[in-house]
Amino acid sequence: MPDQNRLYIHTPEWARVAERIEYVTGLTSRLNVLPFDDKAGRAALLSDIIGRPLPASVTVYPPFYTDHGLRIEFGENVFVNQNCTFYDQGGIRLGDGVLIGPKTNLISSDHPVRASERPEFITRAPITIGSGAWLGAGVTVLPGVTIGAGAVVGAGAVVTKDVPPHTLVTGPAAFERKTWDD
């Protein structure tokens, strides 16, 4: 059985993903040059990007970047500030009332650590942000992380592990050393 957390590069599936990335990059480039007061145009392009209607209570301020779009799920009353990047190949789910600060990165795909494996596949794991959570400016959330309901992630944090509900986390990620032979 194939590993659902890996997407192999030299496959027909990757070719379809690459086509989607090119298409969505075109849509986001159009989104990011719209006049700011063109709310209807912004909503239409965001709906095209995510492949379904954007909930009317969701606000996404451009510039906004994503690589796939179809794996982003917005709850109601979500606010995404300017200059955010959502790499959603692993899936990104935002619960109701989530607040995302400017320059935040939600990255649900990655490359293998071993150099010999990097040209072969990417890894994917979903990101889930619980209802009422708030991510400050410049936060980066890495693949497979769940941030619990009502949690707060302070500005500039790199989130590598799950955050329990109603918890405040701040500061850079801790470093863990691993070595390997390639």
Side-chain angles (χ1 to χ4, degrees), residues 56-138:
S57 65
V58 170
T59 299
V60 177
Y61 283 164
F64 175 77
Y65 306 94
T66 187
D67 65 339
H68 196 271
L70 297 179
R71 295 188 177 108
I72 300 172
E73 296 178 34
F74 289 99
E76 295 292 331
N77 300 304
V78 169
F79 177 80
V80 178
N81 213 323
Q82 297 176 342
N83 210 25
C84 291
T85 300
F86 289 14
Y87 281 4
D88 66 300
Q89 289 188 42
I92 295 173
R93 184 180 183 291
L94 306 175
D96 294 342
V98 167
L99 302 174
I100 306 286
K103 297 184 180 180
T104 291
N105 303 297
L106 305 181
I107 311 296
S108 69
S109 58
D110 202 354
H111 293 279
V113 172
R114 294 180 186 275
S116 61
E117 294 177 336
R118 283 183 219 142
E120 299 302 318
F121 62 90
I122 64 169
T123 58
R124 305 181 292 188
I127 292 172
T128 302
I129 312 295
S131 295
W134 173 26
L135 281 58

Side-chain angles (χ1 to χ4, degrees), residues 41-58:
R42 188 177 344 145
L45 282 168
L46 284 165
S47 293
D48 287 346
I49 289 166
I50 66 171
R52 61 195 166 285
L54 184 71
S57 65
V58 170

Side-chain angles (χ1 to χ4, degrees), residues 26-44:
L27 293 175
T28 58
S29 67
R30 290 178 25 215
L31 170 72
N32 293 335
V33 297
L34 282 177
F36 187 76
D37 60 355
D38 186 355
K39 292 179 183 178
R42 188 177 344 145

Side-chain angles (χ1 to χ4, degrees), residues 147-165:
I147 297 175
V152 176
V153 179
V158 177
V159 187
T160 63
K161 297 178 181 167
D162 291 352
V163 176

